[in-house]
Amino acid sequence: AQSVTQPDIHITVSEGASLELRCNYSYGATPYLFWYVQSPGQGLQLLLKYFSGDTLVQGIKGFEAEFKRSQSSFNLRKPSVHWSDAAEYFCAVRDAGNMLTFGGGTRLMVKP
Amino acid sequence: EPEVTQTPSHQVTQMGQEVILRCVPISNHLYFYWYRQILGQKVEFLVSFYNNEISEKSEIFDDQFSVERPDGSNFTLKIRSTKLEDSAMYFCASSASTGSNEKLFFGSGTQLSVL
């Protein structure tokens, strides 16, 4: 069965600093990988996705993620964090059907 | 950007009561989903729905749960006899396709509290 692990429950960074959120997955075949963001009172918004091809994918809001098969990882990065990036971030893997399996989430706090 | 709309945003019910959570997916979407998130836990898949039938469901989605698309716009999740452990945030989602271009749009959720 597929699974997703986000090792960091909480992360605090200073505004303007770089960010990396970790995600490790377990899946038998080539995974479809996603990062979602959830702001308070909002639904889950798709930041980016990886299906195949270039292992570095660009998303919205200046985010990018790199798929590393050898490490079973799909870490999310942003070079310079803004206060508005404070939210909860979820990594997810999709199976051959439609079912998304989510990680436990990482809550990002941004210090001024 | 188009939105998935969920109502109500909060629902409080007594244990054993039936609840219906409502969702209006994006109008040209064909695939519909329910997920839930118990406080402090992961977001979990419940069910996917296409062409007026369930295409996939998880172990959570037992006989107490049902989904329906009663008209051309609504997609509902019914819990027949709620239990305390059904308290969670329930997210509806929709997508136009399931292939590599698939993008899942989520609603803002309904917080269900079972007392």
Side-chain angles (χ1 to χ4, degrees):
Chain A
Q2 64 218 44
S3 67
V4 177
T5 303
Q6 293 179 245
D8 305 304
I9 298 174
H10 293 97
I11 282 186
T12 301
V13 299
S14 297
E15 191 167 17
S18 63
L19 171 71
E20 182 169 29
L21 302 183
R22 296 184 290 166
C23 171
N24 293 98
Y25 67 90
S26 172
Y27 185 64
T30 300
Y32 292 171
L33 295 159
F34 303 80
W35 273 100
Y36 286 86
V37 61
Q38 184 183 26
S39 299
Q42 303 294 313
L44 295 160
Q45 182 184 23
L46 180 67
L47 284 175
L48 48 77
K49 59 186 178 182
Y50 170 80
F51 285 156
S52 63
D54 193 349
T55 56
L56 184 64
V57 293
Q58 302 296 320
I60 62 170
K61 305 184 180 187
F63 285 93
E64 66 179 27
E66 186 171 13
F67 170 59
K68 292 185 177 179
R69 185 187 298 275
S70 62
Q71 298 177 18
S72 297
S73 70
F74 188 58
N75 294 348
L76 182 71
R77 299 194 295 251
K78 186 169 183 177
S80 177
V81 168
H82 188 262
W83 64 267
S84 60
D85 293 323
E88 185 141 24
Y89 291 80
F90 294 93
C91 182
V93 62
R94 199 188 95 191
D95 67 4
N98 297 327
M99 191 176 82
L100 282 171
T101 298
F102 286 86
T106 298
R107 183 167 296 280
L108 173 66
M109 290 175 281
V110 181
K111 292 190 299 186
Chain B
E1 189 171 70
E3 287 186 346
V4 174
T5 306
Q6 289 187 244
T7 55
S9 57
H10 292 85
Q11 174 97 42
V12 180
T13 190
Q14 296 290 324
M15 188 171 58
Q17 295 296 303
E18 174 183 286
V19 293
I20 297 176
L21 308 183
R22 303 181 190 280
C23 170
V24 179
I26 293 169
S27 62
N28 63 340
H29 284 185
L30 302 175
Y31 298 83
F32 313 110
Y33 314 84
W34 283 101
Y35 286 78
R36 80 172 185 189
Q37 184 181 27
I38 295 172
L39 186 65
Q41 298 185 24
K42 296 183 178 184
V43 177
E44 302 171 293
F45 170 80
L46 292 179
V47 65
S48 59
F49 190 86
Y50 170 71
N51 200 25
N52 282 320
E53 58 184 33
I54 291 172
S55 47
E56 196 169 358
K57 62 181 180 179
S58 70
E59 293 176 351
I60 303 167
F61 195 87
D62 61 21
D63 292 344
Q64 292 299 311
F65 290 88
S66 63
V67 289
E68 191 178 29
R69 189 155 162 79
D71 53 44
S73 60
N74 290 284
F75 179 52
T76 61
L77 174 69
K78 182 193 292 186
I79 309 175
R80 288 190 185 81
S81 177
T82 51
K83 302 187 281 287
L84 296 177
E85 54 265 37
D86 293 328
S87 296
M89 177 73 86
Y90 287 81
F91 292 104
C92 174
S94 69
S95 66
S97 68
T98 60
S100 59
N101 289 327
E102 175 255 356
K103 181 177 176 180
L104 220 57
F105 289 81
F106 283 85
S108 56
T110 293
Q111 181 66 55
L112 175 66
S113 298
V114 182
L115 305 179

